[in-house]
Amino acid sequence: MRNYIKLTAALCIAAGVISSCKTQYELLLEGNDSDAKYAAAFDYFNSGKFTRASQLFESLSVITNGTSRDDTVQYYWGLSNYRAKDYLTAEANFERFLQDFPRSTFAENAEFLRLDCLFRGTYRYELDQTPSYRTITAISEYLINHPDSEYRDVCNHMLDDLNERIDRKAFENAYLYYKMEDYKAARVALKNVLKDDADNRYREDILFYSAMASYRYADLSYKEKQKERFLVFYDDYFNFIGEYPESARRQELDRLYKKVKEKY
């Protein structure tokens, strides 16, 4: 029994020591003093300690729910995560904020910051572009709803960047067949890119490699098939020079066209 009492006393003393060793921040985080917690959250935020600020604002969001401070706490919770470069969490914060407080004075800023989080979550052109399509839709909706937004130029820059990635991915995927020397499949794939998106910014490359693919496919064919297949090259050649008569690449196609004409 004596040993049990000693052990209990020791545990109590240890618990007291651990409790007394807690930092002011930990005591604030675990406490229920909303005013102290609110002031401390902004102190941390203003001093650039965004992770700590985020944790305090998150804790506060339970206490201030339904009060006049609610939208401020929710907004700065998201902004703290954004400044801490935790864009995935910040995007979720801002999305929830916009659902709960669509008319808040922070709403337009929150909407733009959510777009920026989405943009930062997209991938380089080689990877899946599903997040890019989602972001393009969100930015387009934002610009419709806020035609005079101060962020309009930034949004247009993001749209240009995302569309360039999508266009490049489409071109590179089709061009891969050309690099693999599957020229028939390359021409079909390249033509399909323009069928899906006539304004693809790699249009000149696509038309050039379509002509090159049709030439190489015909040139590598059996002799009895060549004349017929070079007719496809003629079509692709004239399509290219019709759209890009001053292209630096025209010289190569002119050379091949002349070579075929001399042969047939």
Side-chain angles (χ1 to χ4, degrees):
M1 180 62 119
R2 230 177 244 180
N3 288 338
Y4 174 76
I5 294 171
K6 286 182 180 179
L7 178 60
T8 303
L11 288 172
C12 289
I13 293 169
V17 170
I18 291 170
S19 177
S20 66
C21 289
K22 285 186 177 179
T23 65
Q24 182 181 4
Y25 170 75
E26 290 171 327
L27 292 171
L28 273 170
L29 191 61
E30 295 173 3
N32 293 315
D33 188 337
S34 62
D35 288 337
K37 192 175 291 194
Y38 188 83
F42 277 102
D43 284 343
Y44 281 119
F45 180 87
N46 292 328
S47 61
K49 297 176 180 177
F50 301 117
T51 300
R52 288 196 166 193
S54 168
Q55 291 171 338
L56 283 171
F57 282 123
E58 181 179 6
S59 177
L60 266 171
S61 67
V62 179
I63 303 172
T64 60
N65 184 36
T67 70
S68 60
R69 288 177 170 176
D70 200 0
D71 68 327
T72 301
V73 168
Q74 295 278 359
Y75 174 73
Y76 276 93
W77 179 14
L79 189 58
S80 295
N81 283 319
Y82 177 85
R83 295 281 177 83
K85 299 183 179 181
D86 181 357
Y87 300 117
L88 185 64
T89 305
E91 191 272 323
N93 288 144
F94 290 131
E95 184 175 29
R96 178 184 170 185
F97 175 88
L98 291 166
Q99 290 172 352
D100 293 346
F101 309 103
R103 298 187 181 182
S104 167
T105 55
F106 299 117
E108 186 175 347
N109 278 344
E111 194 170 355
F112 170 74
L113 290 171
R114 175 177 172 261
L115 296 180
D116 194 45
C117 290
L118 288 172
F119 179 75
R120 292 172 186 273
T122 56
Y123 310 129
R124 62 182 189 271
Y125 80 89
E126 301 98 327
L127 303 177
D128 178 30
Q129 292 303 301
T130 301
S132 294
Y133 286 109
R134 180 190 177 204
T135 305
I136 287 171
T137 299
I139 293 173
S140 299
E141 290 175 354
Y142 174 82
L143 289 174
I144 290 170
N145 294 330
H146 305 284
D148 300 318
S149 171
E150 63 180 297
Y151 304 115
R152 186 173 189 83
D153 288 344
V154 179
C155 286
N156 284 328
H157 176 75
M158 288 192 289
L159 284 175
D160 188 61
D161 185 294
L162 294 169
N163 281 310
E164 196 280 334
R165 285 186 235 172
I166 290 170
D167 285 357
R168 185 172 181 184
K169 183 177 179 67
F171 164 65
E172 294 286 356
N173 284 350
Y175 179 56
L176 183 61
Y177 290 103
Y178 185 89
K179 291 192 288 187
M180 293 168 61
E181 300 183 0
D182 186 348
Y183 300 118
K184 184 178 180 180
R187 184 179 184 275
V188 172
L190 289 161
K191 290 292 185 181
N192 282 339
V193 172
L194 293 183
K195 185 178 179 181
D196 293 338
D197 178 17
D199 295 323
N200 187 295
R201 64 192 66 200
Y202 290 89
R203 185 178 178 86
E204 180 178 346
D205 301 86
I206 292 167
L207 291 177
F208 173 76
Y209 284 109
S210 294
M212 291 295 296
S214 59
Y215 171 83
R216 295 192 185 282
Y217 178 63
D219 191 51
L220 293 170
S221 299
Y222 293 110
K223 286 190 180 294
E224 59 269 23
K225 295 281 189 179
Q226 285 185 338
K227 186 174 181 179
E228 176 188 349
R229 290 174 179 175
F230 275 127
L231 293 176
V232 178
F233 167 67
Y234 289 161
D235 286 342
D236 290 342
Y237 167 76
F238 286 116
N239 282 339
F240 182 84
I241 66 171
E243 286 198 36
Y244 302 100
E246 306 300 326
S247 172
R249 288 174 163 172
R250 176 174 179 168
Q251 185 176 359
E252 173 65 8
L253 292 182
D254 284 344
R255 183 184 67 80
L256 296 177
Y257 175 74
K258 183 179 179 182
K259 181 179 177 181
V260 175
K261 289 293 285 183
E262 289 174 350
K263 190 174 182 180
Y264 294 101

